[in-house]
Amino acid sequence: MAAEAPREDNVPEGRARENNVPEGRARANNVPEDRARADTSTVDDDPVEGTTPPRRNAARIVSALVVVALVAACAWLGYLVWSDHREDELRRSAVEDATRLVVQLASYDHADVDANIEAVVADATPEFADRYREVSEGLRELLTNGQGTSTGTVTHAGVQSVDTGSAVVLVFLDQEITNVTVPEGRVDASRMVVTLVRDGNRWLLDSAELA
């Protein structure tokens, strides 16, 4: 009896091992553990889509702070310029009004004392207006009987102090006076310290004293 031939569909054990994937190659096809960790770390460090990197955020914050600082500096410089201009305007108007008010105060005519009184009190504070009326009433008869006249001229005026509410102005005054005693006239020179009070867009006379 002939021996049974081996089956062709039976694969020898060695052949079977060759058909299977070698163990080393299988490991090669798998991602090594260290590389997997590295890849995971790289993914974690990358910024998430839709977010801004920290450095870019910091740059934007710095830029915003610089802009704010520049705006504040420009505003402050603008205020200083405006303040200087405002003070110059106050000084100029104080000198002009003090000059006009002192000339008005130092000028009178015995023929029309009331006109002089009303002109002075119209540009004076209520307190000064009351004092001036009282003094003028006492001088009315003297001026009329003595036929007194006076013309005031301011030769120089300068601001001693000024703010938005008040000003003190030093005024140099020449007063040309005539009366029955000195019909040819004489010139009296004097210095006056004039205090003004701000009332809206104008200055009011609050006091005028010889210096």
Side-chain angles (χ1 to χ4, degrees), residues 46-64:
D46 289 340
V48 179
E49 183 177 358
T51 63
T52 305
R55 289 184 179 178
R56 187 175 301 175
N57 281 336
R60 289 178 178 177
I61 292 174
V62 171
S63 298

Side-chain angles (χ1 to χ4, degrees), residues 162-179:
V162 65
D163 56 37
T164 56
S166 63
V168 177
V169 183
L170 180 62
V171 176
F172 292 82
L173 173 69
D174 284 346
Q175 195 172 10
E176 186 177 353
I177 300 172
T178 63
N179 53 45

Side-chain angles (χ1 to χ4, degrees), residues 18-31:
E18 291 178 358
N19 291 334
N20 292 328
V21 179
E23 183 179 356
R25 185 174 180 183
R27 291 180 180 176
N29 290 335
N30 293 326
V31 179

Side-chain angles (χ1 to χ4, degrees), residues 74-111:
C74 291
W76 177 247
L77 289 176
Y79 170 77
L80 291 179
V81 172
W82 175 85
S83 180
D84 289 342
H85 175 74
R86 173 66 171 167
E87 185 173 346
D88 290 343
E89 179 61 23
L90 289 173
R91 286 178 174 273
R92 183 193 62 77
S93 62
V95 168
E96 289 182 355
D97 284 3
T99 298
R100 176 178 58 83
L101 293 172
V102 168
V103 167
Q104 194 167 260
L105 183 66
S107 301
Y108 55 82
D109 188 340
H110 68 89

Side-chain angles (χ1 to χ4, degrees), residues 17 40 42 46 61 74 92 100 121-122 128 150 179 201:
R17 290 180 179 176
T40 302
T42 302
D46 289 340
I61 292 174
C74 291
R92 183 193 62 77
R100 176 178 58 83
V121 300
F128 184 83
S150 174
N179 53 45
N201 294 325

Side-chain angles (χ1 to χ4, degrees), residues 11 46 52 58 61 72 75 94 110 123 131 143 147 179 191-192:
V11 181
D46 289 340
T52 305
I61 292 174
H110 68 89
D123 291 324
R131 294 196 304 269
L143 293 175
Q147 299 180 359
N179 53 45
R191 292 185 303 171
M192 302 186 72

